Amino acid sequence: MYRSNELLCEKIKLELSNIQVKTIKLRQLENLFEGEVEYDIFFAAIRQLEMEELLKPIKSHGINHHGLAHAFRIQKQDLNKPLQEQIRIKQLQIHPLINLSCYFTLSLETWENDQELINRLNKYINEKGLPDKEAFSSERSYELAGDEKWIDEGGGRAFLERVGIYSSLRIVSIPEPLMFAINPSQMASAEHIHLIVENKAVYAALSTCLVESPYTTLIYGSGKSFLSSIMKLEEQLNMPDRTHRLLYFGDLDREGITIWNSLHHRRFAPPCLIFYRALLEKDFTYGKQNQRHNHEAENNFVRFFLAHEQDKVRQMLAKGGYYPQEALKADELREIWRHSWKE
């Protein structure tokens, strides 16, 4: 129960600092402290805030029988002057690479909650400086907070970006391991060929006869999942000094072509034409009319095909058609796979 007018005024100021709206109704203020304060103390506190010009009555909303306005305009700039002064003083006390300007527009609660983090970050930079080597987020997180999950799961990244230091800490994401099956008969080859397939069913079908193919690996793309880890292929195979050739086979629709194009921007990986040509010999299916049309991806993709094949692909897409990889039955996939050396 608030029995002090001054204490209640400070509490109301805190509440006003933490809300994003520019106006507030008297009834809303009453509801914030319902059951916690006597009416005479509450009304005295509101009048005090009016005198300090932190709350300005909105005359058009009228007044109640106590002579208080039904609504007020919150004078945020005046209300936040003490906070702004705290931020300016703190900025002079910490390392200049830590930028506190964001807190001028954030709530008092955020500022107070971040104090320990600011002090800890300031100590880290003053003692160790900025790191000269890259580190995974879990490693850097442990250095900064003693918690390996703080950056990724505990709000650490948001804080570090808020104070403008995240990019300077040389944090790199941990890529998911690339999923693939290995053909042991090809491990000694000077050139290694790798086939990436988009869907699990196709991966399962082809993996049973991988040893009968000229490919070193069969890579499971799992939609877009492989895109962040495909650059680590040579590292995972421990073959950085060998020649590697990538081919891709996914759904022949706009989404599948867009996935391929994202891969192709990272690494040269032509469509595995022998599979796509087998699809084009079949009747396509309707049902992908709502997929986004990526002109760049489509143009890049069809360049690998013959002119009449390009026309067929474009016409099929224009009609909202598509070929799922599964349009080729498991036996067909394996037969193509065994003879893919002709590609």
Side-chain angles (χ1 to χ4, degrees):
M1 199 77 170
Y2 290 93
R3 301 190 182 279
S4 164
N5 181 42
E6 289 184 5
L7 182 60
L8 181 58
C9 277
E10 292 305 312
K11 180 61 176 175
I12 295 174
K13 289 178 184 179
L14 178 61
E15 294 290 344
L16 295 175
S17 296
N18 289 329
I19 62 176
Q20 301 300 315
V21 297
K22 296 181 179 179
T23 63
I24 192 167
K25 294 181 179 179
L26 180 64
R27 183 58 188 163
Q28 290 175 288
L29 286 168
E30 291 178 19
N31 290 340
L32 289 174
F33 303 97
E34 190 170 5
E36 298 181 25
V37 64
E38 296 177 1
Y39 279 106
D40 57 338
I41 295 177
F42 174 76
F43 293 141
I46 298 300
R47 289 193 181 95
Q48 178 64 37
L49 295 176
E50 278 191 72
M51 290 177 58
E52 295 178 19
E53 297 187 337
L54 299 178
L55 288 174
K56 286 200 171 182
I58 302 176
K59 295 180 180 179
S60 59
H61 285 250
I63 60 174
N64 66 10
H65 62 282
H66 293 285
L68 291 174
H70 286 297
F72 298 90
R73 185 167 286 104
I74 304 169
Q75 301 302 106
K76 285 281 189 180
Q77 186 173 357
D78 294 330
L79 186 68
N80 292 332
K81 277 183 179 178
L83 170 60
Q84 292 171 358
E85 186 60 24
Q86 286 183 40
I87 296 169
R88 291 189 186 96
I89 293 172
K90 186 77 170 183
Q91 185 69 80
L92 296 174
Q93 295 172 341
I94 63 173
H95 197 283
L97 288 174
I98 304 173
N99 187 349
L100 303 182
S101 60
C102 63
Y103 293 101
F104 288 118
T105 58
L106 297 176
S107 68
L108 176 61
E109 182 180 14
T110 302
W111 167 250
E112 291 179 341
N113 289 341
D114 282 0
Q115 288 304 297
E116 182 181 349
L117 297 175
I118 293 169
N119 292 337
R120 186 181 297 168
L121 178 61
N122 182 58
K123 181 180 179 182
Y124 173 88
I125 296 177
N126 281 328
E127 291 180 355
K128 300 184 177 181
L130 292 177
D132 56 3
K133 294 181 180 179
E134 292 182 340
F136 291 130
S137 56
S138 56
E139 179 183 344
R140 193 71 76 222
S141 185
Y142 189 77
E143 288 180 3
L144 290 168
D147 177 0
E148 69 279 6
K149 297 181 180 179
W150 175 66
I151 289 177
D152 291 329
E153 300 177 24
R157 176 165 185 160
F159 164 73
L160 295 171
E161 289 178 340
R162 190 154 57 238
V163 297
I165 201 70
Y166 182 85
S167 60
S168 300
L169 292 174
R170 306 194 68 179
I171 298 167
V172 293
S173 299
I174 303 174
E176 291 294 324
L178 199 62
M179 294 181 282
F180 54 77
I182 292 178
N183 182 355
S185 67
Q186 295 295 323
M187 293 300 286
S189 301
E191 180 182 56
H192 295 278
I193 310 172
H194 311 277
L195 177 65
I196 304 165
V197 294
E198 184 180 336
N199 297 337
K200 187 183 293 185
V202 178
Y203 177 83
L206 292 179
S207 61
T208 61
C209 59
L210 173 58
V211 294
E212 302 173 50
S213 79
Y215 289 77
T216 301
T217 69
L218 174 66
I219 300 170
Y220 174 41
S222 186
K224 301 177 182 178
S225 300
F226 74 102
L227 291 173
S228 62
S229 52
I230 191 61
M231 303 303 293
K232 299 289 186 180
L233 173 61
E234 290 86 350
E235 183 180 321
Q236 280 191 232
L237 287 170
N238 196 26
M239 296 179 179
D241 56 343
R242 307 282 183 87
T243 300
H244 296 269
R245 178 184 170 206
L246 274 64
L247 295 169
Y248 181 82
F249 176 47
D251 292 337
L252 186 44
D253 59 12
R254 283 177 170 155
E255 177 65 20
I257 291 172
T258 297
I259 294 172
W260 168 83
N261 197 53
S262 296
L263 163 65
H264 199 58
H265 279 307
R266 290 167 169 81
R267 302 190 62 153
F268 182 73
C272 192
L273 296 179
I274 195 168
F275 285 108
Y276 286 108
R277 283 174 174 151
L279 286 177
L280 290 173
E281 292 176 3
K282 299 179 178 292
D283 294 329
F284 61 78
T285 302
Y286 291 96
K288 297 293 182 80
Q289 292 90 338
N290 295 326
Q291 286 189 342
R292 189 173 67 86
H293 190 182
N294 186 328
H295 294 278
E296 179 207 8
E298 183 178 312
N299 290 336
N300 290 340
F301 182 77
V302 298
R303 286 193 186 104
F304 291 91
F305 293 80
L306 299 174
H308 73 278
E309 294 169 336
Q310 294 183 23
D311 292 339
K312 190 168 184 177
V313 171
R314 290 188 189 279
Q315 290 171 15
M316 179 270 295
L317 294 173
K319 293 176 181 178
Y322 72 102
Y323 290 98
Q325 289 178 278
E326 292 83 355
L328 297 174
K329 294 182 172 60
D331 288 343
E332 292 179 277
L333 287 165
R334 294 186 189 107
E335 188 64 20
I336 296 168
W337 183 236
R338 292 185 183 102
H339 295 90
S340 58
W341 59 269
K342 299 176 182 178
E343 176 69 15

